[in-house]
Amino acid sequence: MEQKTQNKLTIAFVVFFGICFLIAGLSRYFWSDANVVLDGKKLNVLIAEDSVQQFKGLGGRKDFGEYDGMIFIYDEAFKIGVVMRDMEMPIDVVWFYDGKVVDIAPNLQPEPGVKEADLRVYLPRGKANVFLELEAGWTEKNGLKIGDELKVVE
């Protein structure tokens, strides 16, 4: 009788942790979105909410789909580095500090086949607490410049 109870507990334990790992694994596929206004233009963007989503970013996507970009928000300001890990499309990157554009890196190109340690790191000129990835050419087409404002509307 004791062996049956132990087996049932073991099975319950494995099932419970299996479900936990499944939920944690699936969470990386569900992204929140928000509407932002950048220099007067309304954009619907995905939000990279946690370290897993921030590491993945737009990697592995062929396009933005129904979204205009992806936003990364941090509690602290620092020189946030961006790499083109697993990217399949070029992008523009815009860094912000307290809602103001502090730097722009236009038309960053994918680096297929480059090892993680060898990926080029793009850094802003100063500290930032937010960055936004947009379709390549967006910043030039829309005349975005240092000092322009970003507001989250929803």
Side-chain angles (χ1 to χ4, degrees):
M1 193 69 119
E2 191 174 297
Q3 182 65 31
K4 284 184 178 182
T5 302
Q6 188 175 14
N7 287 346
K8 287 180 182 177
L9 286 174
T10 302
I11 290 170
F13 179 79
V14 169
V15 168
F16 173 76
F17 281 102
I19 290 170
C20 289
F21 282 117
L22 180 64
I23 290 169
L26 289 175
S27 70
R28 72 184 65 170
Y29 298 104
F30 297 100
W31 297 72
S32 297
D33 65 340
N35 289 314
V36 300
V37 176
L38 177 55
D39 192 34
K41 287 112 184 138
K42 188 174 180 182
L43 304 168
N44 183 243
V45 297
L46 290 166
I47 305 169
E49 294 185 284
D50 57 37
S51 60
V52 171
Q53 289 181 339
Q54 290 169 348
F55 185 82
K56 176 124 177 94
L58 290 168
R61 294 175 185 252
K62 295 192 184 315
D63 58 41
F64 285 90
E66 63 188 73
Y67 298 96
D68 301 303
M70 183 176 286
I71 195 165
F72 300 71
I73 302 170
Y74 297 87
D75 294 330
E76 300 292 324
F78 60 101
K79 282 193 159 194
I80 303 168
V82 174
V83 296
M84 297 295 286
R85 177 184 304 108
D86 299 324
M87 291 294 289
E88 297 184 27
M89 61 185 163
I91 59 172
D92 289 354
V93 176
V94 183
W95 288 271
F96 303 86
Y97 180 70
D98 289 345
K100 302 268 188 196
V101 175
V102 295
D103 209 349
I104 301 168
N107 202 29
L108 304 184
Q109 295 297 311
E111 296 184 87
V114 175
K115 294 178 186 173
E116 179 77 22
D118 296 329
L119 289 169
R120 180 173 177 189
V121 180
Y122 297 90
L123 293 166
R125 295 174 221 191
K127 291 181 180 181
N129 56 354
V130 172
F131 75 89
L132 180 61
E133 295 178 337
L134 298 163
E135 182 179 330
W138 192 98
T139 57
E140 182 179 353
K141 177 181 165 188
N142 290 281
L144 194 68
K145 60 192 176 308
I146 305 289
D148 285 347
E149 290 188 83
L150 173 75
K151 294 179 184 173
V152 177
V153 291
E154 335 179 334

